[in-house]
Coordinates of all heavy atoms in Angstrom, one line a residue:
A1 N -6.5 14.0 -14.0 CA -6.1 15.0 -15.0 C -5.7 14.3 -16.3 O -5.2 13.2 -16.3 CB -4.9 15.8 -14.4
D2 N -6.1 15.0 -17.4 CA -5.8 14.4 -18.7 C -4.3 14.0 -18.8 O -3.9 13.0 -19.5 CB -6.2 15.3 -19.8 CG -7.7 15.4 -19.9 OD1 -8.4 14.5 -19.4 OD2 -8.2 16.4 -20.5
S3 N -3.4 14.8 -18.2 CA -2.0 14.6 -18.4 C -1.5 13.4 -17.7 O -0.4 12.9 -18.0 CB -1.2 15.8 -17.9 OG -1.5 16.0 -16.5
V4 N -2.2 12.8 -16.8 CA -1.8 11.6 -16.1 C -2.6 10.3 -16.4 O -2.2 9.2 -15.9 CB -1.7 11.8 -14.6 CG1 -0.9 13.1 -14.3 CG2 -3.1 11.9 -14.0
K5 N -3.7 10.5 -17.2 CA -4.5 9.3 -17.5 C -3.7 8.2 -18.2 O -2.9 8.5 -19.1 CB -5.7 9.7 -18.4 CG -6.8 10.5 -17.6 CD -7.9 10.9 -18.6 CE -9.0 11.6 -17.9 NZ -10.1 12.1 -18.8
G6 N -3.9 7.0 -17.7 CA -3.2 5.9 -18.3 C -1.8 5.6 -17.6 O -1.2 4.6 -17.9
R7 N -1.3 6.6 -16.8 CA 0.0 6.4 -16.2 C -0.1 6.4 -14.7 O 0.7 5.7 -14.0 CB 0.9 7.6 -16.6 CG 1.1 7.7 -18.1 CD 2.2 8.8 -18.4 NE 1.8 10.1 -18.0 CZ 2.5 10.9 -17.1 NH1 3.6 10.4 -16.6 NH2 2.1 12.1 -16.8
F8 N -1.1 7.1 -14.1 CA -1.2 7.2 -12.7 C -2.5 6.5 -12.2 O -3.5 6.5 -13.0 CB -1.3 8.6 -12.2 CG -0.1 9.5 -12.3 CD1 1.0 9.0 -13.0 CD2 0.0 10.7 -11.7 CE1 2.2 9.8 -13.1 CE2 1.1 11.5 -11.8 CZ 2.2 11.0 -12.5
T9 N -2.4 5.9 -11.0 CA -3.6 5.2 -10.5 C -3.8 5.6 -9.0 O -2.8 5.5 -8.2 CB -3.4 3.7 -10.6 OG1 -3.2 3.3 -11.9 CG2 -4.7 3.0 -10.0
I10 N -5.0 6.1 -8.7 CA -5.3 6.4 -7.4 C -6.1 5.3 -6.7 O -6.9 4.7 -7.4 CB -6.0 7.8 -7.3 CG1 -6.2 8.3 -5.8 CG2 -7.4 7.7 -8.0 CD1 -6.7 9.7 -5.7
S11 N -5.9 5.1 -5.4 CA -6.7 4.1 -4.7 C -6.8 4.5 -3.3 O -6.0 5.3 -2.8 CB -6.0 2.7 -4.8 OG -4.7 2.7 -4.3
R12 N -7.8 3.9 -2.6 CA -8.0 4.3 -1.2 C -8.4 3.1 -0.4 O -9.1 2.3 -0.8 CB -9.1 5.4 -1.2 CG -9.5 5.8 0.3 CD -10.6 6.8 0.3 NE -11.0 7.1 1.7 CZ -11.9 7.9 2.1 NH1 -12.6 8.6 1.1 NH2 -12.2 8.1 3.3
E13 N -7.8 3.1 0.8 CA -8.2 2.1 1.8 C -9.1 2.8 2.8 O -8.7 3.6 3.7 CB -7.0 1.6 2.6 CG -6.1 0.6 1.7 CD -5.1 0.0 2.6 OE1 -5.1 0.0 3.8 OE2 -4.2 -0.6 2.0
N14 N -10.4 2.6 2.6 CA -11.4 3.4 3.4 C -11.3 3.1 4.9 O -11.4 4.1 5.7 CB -12.8 3.1 3.0 CG -13.1 3.6 1.6 OD1 -12.6 4.7 1.2 ND2 -13.9 2.9 0.9
A15 N -11.0 1.9 5.3 CA -10.9 1.6 6.7 C -9.8 2.3 7.4 O -9.9 2.5 8.6 CB -10.7 0.1 6.9
E16 N -8.8 2.7 6.7 CA -7.7 3.4 7.3 C -7.5 4.8 6.9 O -6.6 5.5 7.2 CB -6.4 2.6 7.0 CG -6.4 1.2 7.7 CD -5.1 0.5 7.5 OE1 -4.2 1.1 6.8 OE2 -4.9 -0.6 7.9
D17 N -8.5 5.3 6.1 CA -8.4 6.7 5.5 C -7.0 7.0 4.9 O -6.4 7.9 5.3 CB -8.7 7.7 6.6 CG -10.2 7.8 6.9 OD1 -11.0 7.5 5.9 OD2 -10.6 8.2 8.0
T18 N -6.6 6.1 4.1 CA -5.3 6.2 3.4 C -5.6 6.2 1.9 O -6.4 5.4 1.4 CB -4.4 5.0 3.8 OG1 -4.2 5.0 5.2 CG2 -3.1 5.1 3.1
V19 N -4.9 7.1 1.2 CA -5.0 7.2 -0.2 C -3.6 7.0 -0.8 O -2.6 7.5 -0.2 CB -5.6 8.5 -0.7 CG1 -4.8 9.7 -0.3 CG2 -6.0 8.5 -2.1
Y20 N -3.5 6.3 -1.9 CA -2.3 6.1 -2.6 C -2.3 6.7 -4.0 O -3.4 6.8 -4.6 CB -2.0 4.6 -2.7 CG -2.0 3.9 -1.4 CD1 -3.2 3.2 -0.9 CD2 -0.9 3.8 -0.6 CE1 -3.2 2.6 0.3 CE2 -0.9 3.2 0.6 CZ -2.0 2.6 1.0 OH -2.0 1.9 2.3
L21 N -1.1 7.0 -4.6 CA -1.0 7.4 -6.0 C 0.1 6.6 -6.6 O 1.3 6.9 -6.2 CB -0.8 8.9 -6.1 CG -0.8 9.4 -7.5 CD1 -2.2 9.3 -8.1 CD2 -0.3 10.9 -7.6
Q22 N -0.2 5.6 -7.4 CA 0.9 4.9 -8.1 C 1.2 5.6 -9.4 O 0.3 5.8 -10.2 CB 0.4 3.5 -8.4 CG 1.3 2.7 -9.2 CD 2.6 2.3 -8.5 OE1 2.6 2.0 -7.3 NE2 3.8 2.5 -9.1
M23 N 2.4 6.0 -9.6 CA 2.8 6.8 -10.7 C 3.8 6.0 -11.6 O 4.9 5.7 -11.1 CB 3.4 8.1 -10.3 CG 2.5 9.0 -9.3 SD 3.3 10.6 -8.9 CE 4.6 10.0 -7.9
N24 N 3.4 5.7 -12.8 CA 4.2 5.0 -13.7 C 4.6 5.8 -14.9 O 3.9 6.8 -15.2 CB 3.5 3.7 -14.2 CG 3.2 2.7 -13.0 OD1 3.9 2.7 -12.0 ND2 2.1 2.0 -13.1
S25 N 5.6 5.4 -15.6 CA 6.0 6.1 -16.9 C 6.2 7.6 -16.6 O 5.7 8.4 -17.3 CB 5.0 5.9 -18.0 OG 4.8 4.5 -18.3
L26 N 6.9 7.9 -15.5 CA 7.0 9.3 -15.1 C 7.8 10.1 -16.2 O 8.7 9.6 -16.8 CB 7.7 9.4 -13.8 CG 6.8 9.0 -12.6 CD1 7.5 8.7 -11.3 CD2 5.9 10.2 -12.3
K27 N 7.4 11.3 -16.3 CA 8.0 12.3 -17.2 C 8.6 13.5 -16.5 O 8.2 13.8 -15.4 CB 7.0 12.8 -18.2 CG 6.2 11.7 -19.0 CD 5.1 12.3 -19.8 CE 4.3 11.3 -20.6 NZ 3.3 11.9 -21.4
P28 N 9.6 14.1 -17.0 CA 10.2 15.3 -16.4 C 9.1 16.3 -16.0 O 9.2 17.0 -15.0 CB 11.2 15.9 -17.4 CG 11.6 14.6 -18.1 CD 10.4 13.8 -18.2
E29 N 8.1 16.4 -16.8 CA 7.0 17.4 -16.5 C 6.1 17.0 -15.4 O 5.2 17.8 -15.0 CB 6.2 17.7 -17.8 CG 5.6 16.4 -18.5 CD 6.5 16.0 -19.6 OE1 7.8 16.0 -19.5 OE2 5.9 15.6 -20.7
D30 N 6.3 15.8 -14.8 CA 5.6 15.4 -13.6 C 6.3 16.0 -12.4 O 5.8 15.8 -11.3 CB 5.5 13.9 -13.5 CG 4.7 13.3 -14.6 OD1 3.6 13.8 -14.9 OD2 5.1 12.2 -15.2
T31 N 7.5 16.6 -12.5 CA 8.2 17.1 -11.4 C 7.4 18.2 -10.7 O 6.9 19.1 -11.4 CB 9.5 17.7 -11.9 OG1 10.4 16.6 -12.3 CG2 10.2 18.4 -10.7
A32 N 7.2 18.0 -9.4 CA 6.3 19.0 -8.7 C 6.3 18.6 -7.2 O 6.8 17.5 -6.8 CB 4.9 19.0 -9.2
V33 N 5.8 19.4 -6.4 CA 5.4 19.0 -5.0 C 4.0 18.5 -5.1 O 3.1 19.2 -5.6 CB 5.5 20.2 -4.1 CG1 5.0 19.8 -2.7 CG2 6.9 20.8 -4.0
Y34 N 3.8 17.3 -4.6 CA 2.5 16.6 -4.6 C 1.9 16.8 -3.2 O 2.5 16.4 -2.2 CB 2.7 15.2 -5.0 CG 2.9 15.0 -6.4 CD1 4.1 15.4 -7.0 CD2 1.9 14.4 -7.3 CE1 4.4 15.2 -8.4 CE2 2.2 14.3 -8.6 CZ 3.4 14.7 -9.2 OH 3.6 14.5 -10.5
Y35 N 0.6 17.2 -3.2 CA -0.1 17.5 -2.0 C -1.3 16.5 -1.8 O -2.1 16.4 -2.8 CB -0.6 18.9 -1.9 CG 0.4 19.9 -1.9 CD1 0.9 20.5 -3.0 CD2 1.0 20.4 -0.6 CE1 1.9 21.5 -3.0 CE2 1.9 21.4 -0.6 CZ 2.4 21.9 -1.8 OH 3.4 22.9 -1.7
C36 N -1.4 15.9 -0.7 CA -2.6 15.1 -0.4 C -3.7 16.1 0.0 O -3.5 17.1 0.7 CB -2.3 14.1 0.7 SG -3.6 13.0 1.2
Y37 N -5.0 15.7 -0.4 CA -6.1 16.5 -0.1 C -7.3 15.6 0.5 O -7.4 14.5 0.0 CB -6.6 17.2 -1.4 CG -8.0 17.8 -1.3 CD1 -8.1 19.1 -0.8 CD2 -9.1 17.1 -1.7 CE1 -9.4 19.7 -0.8 CE2 -10.4 17.7 -1.6 CZ -10.5 18.9 -1.2 OH -11.7 19.5 -1.1
A38 N -8.0 16.2 1.4 CA -9.1 15.5 1.9 C -10.3 16.4 2.2 O -10.0 17.6 2.6 CB -8.8 14.7 3.2
E39 N -11.5 16.0 2.0 CA -12.7 16.8 2.4 C -13.5 15.9 3.3 O -13.9 14.8 3.0 CB -13.4 17.1 1.2 CG -14.7 18.0 1.5 CD -15.5 18.3 0.2 OE1 -15.0 19.1 -0.6 OE2 -16.6 17.7 0.1
T40 N -13.8 16.5 4.5 CA -14.6 15.7 5.4 C -16.1 16.0 5.3 O -16.5 16.9 4.6 CB -14.2 16.0 6.9 OG1 -14.7 17.3 7.2 CG2 -12.6 16.0 7.0
E41 N -16.9 15.2 6.1 CA -18.3 15.7 6.3 C -18.2 17.1 6.8 O -17.2 17.5 7.4 CB -18.9 14.7 7.3 CG -18.3 14.6 8.6 CD -18.9 13.6 9.5 OE1 -20.1 13.3 9.3 OE2 -18.3 13.1 10.4
Y42 N -19.2 17.8 6.7 CA -19.2 19.3 7.0 C -18.3 20.1 6.1 O -18.1 21.3 6.3 CB -18.7 19.5 8.5 CG -19.4 18.6 9.5 CD1 -18.6 17.8 10.2 CD2 -20.8 18.6 9.6 CE1 -19.2 16.9 11.2 CE2 -21.4 17.7 10.5 CZ -20.6 16.9 11.3 OH -21.1 16.0 12.2
L43 N -17.8 19.5 5.0 CA -17.1 20.2 3.9 C -15.8 20.8 4.4 O -15.4 21.9 3.8 CB -18.0 21.2 3.2 CG -19.3 20.6 2.7 CD1 -20.1 21.7 2.0 CD2 -19.1 19.4 1.7

């Protein structure tokens, strides 16, 4: 999202199907419930 570019970094460990979100320079407007999302084969 434009609002997080340069501050957040997403990464994934494929072997373990794990995804990370490193969030730096956090702002009060980043306050929210954060949900992980996945889409499998077969959509």
Side-chain angles (χ1 to χ4, degrees):
D2 288 342
S3 59
V4 307
K5 283 181 181 176
R7 301 188 297 122
F8 290 12
T9 302
I10 189 171
S11 60
R12 178 179 173 180
E13 287 187 15
N14 290 327
E16 297 184 359
D17 281 335
T18 301
V19 66
Y20 304 95
L21 186 68
Q22 177 66 43
M23 304 185 293
N24 299 328
S25 302
L26 283 160
K27 305 175 181 180
E29 51 264 43
D30 294 318
T31 295
V33 177
Y34 284 70
Y35 295 92
C36 182
Y37 167 86
E39 182 184 288
T40 73
E41 57 182 339
Y42 313 118
L43 304 183

